[in-house]
Amino acid sequence: MDNNKNVIVTSEEIGKQIEKLLHTRFGVSENFTAESSDGDDAFFGLRSLLEPRELTYLAFMLETRYGIRFGMDEYDDPKFYCVRGLSEIVAEMVAGNCDTGQ
C-alpha cells in the first residue's frame, strides 16, 4: 500500500504543485491565483503566464514527477491551458496508471 501512496493524488494537490512551480520555477507573481469567481481560469490561464517554451518545460516537469506522458489529446484539450484543468488531466492520467498497474 505504501508503494501507491505517492501515486494516489487529488487534482487539488496537483494544482497546488503547479502553482508552486509557477512561483518558484517561472517567476509568476505570488498574487496570481488559479481560481476566479466563475471557476474558469482559462482566460487568465497558463498561456498568458508562460512562454511556449516554459509551458513545454512545465509539462515535462509534470510528466517526470507523476510518471505520465502527455499526448496530442491532452495538448488539444482547452483544459490543458489552465491550472485547474491541467491538474484534473494529470490526476486522471495518474489514476489511469494506478488502475492498469503501471
Side-chain angles (χ1 to χ4, degrees):
M1 189 72 159
D2 288 332
N3 292 341
N4 290 332
K5 187 182 213 181
N6 293 332
V7 178
I8 301 171
V9 292
T10 66
S11 62
E12 292 82 19
E13 291 171 323
I14 294 168
K16 289 178 186 176
Q17 181 65 34
I18 293 170
E19 286 184 27
K20 182 178 176 183
L21 288 171
L22 291 173
H23 300 312
T24 60
R25 294 288 191 140
F26 301 105
V28 173
S29 169
E30 292 284 339
N31 294 331
F32 165 77
T33 176
E35 302 297 328
S36 64
S37 60
D38 62 359
D40 180 16
D41 60 332
F43 184 75
F44 295 106
L46 297 174
R47 289 183 192 188
S48 65
L49 294 172
L50 302 175
E51 298 292 324
R53 176 183 47 154
E54 294 171 326
L55 186 56
T56 301
Y57 187 52
L58 174 63
F60 171 75
M61 292 186 325
L62 293 171
E63 287 177 333
T64 302
R65 178 174 178 88
Y66 294 105
I68 58 173
R69 290 284 174 241
F70 295 118
M72 291 307 297
D73 289 341
E74 289 79 29
Y75 286 110
D76 287 343
D77 188 337
K79 291 188 336 180
F80 187 86
Y81 300 96
C82 64
V83 174
R84 182 181 305 166
L86 180 56
S87 63
E88 290 171 1
I89 289 170
V90 172
E92 290 169 8
M93 293 177 78
V94 169
N97 285 345
C98 290
D99 293 342
T100 61
Q102 292 181 351

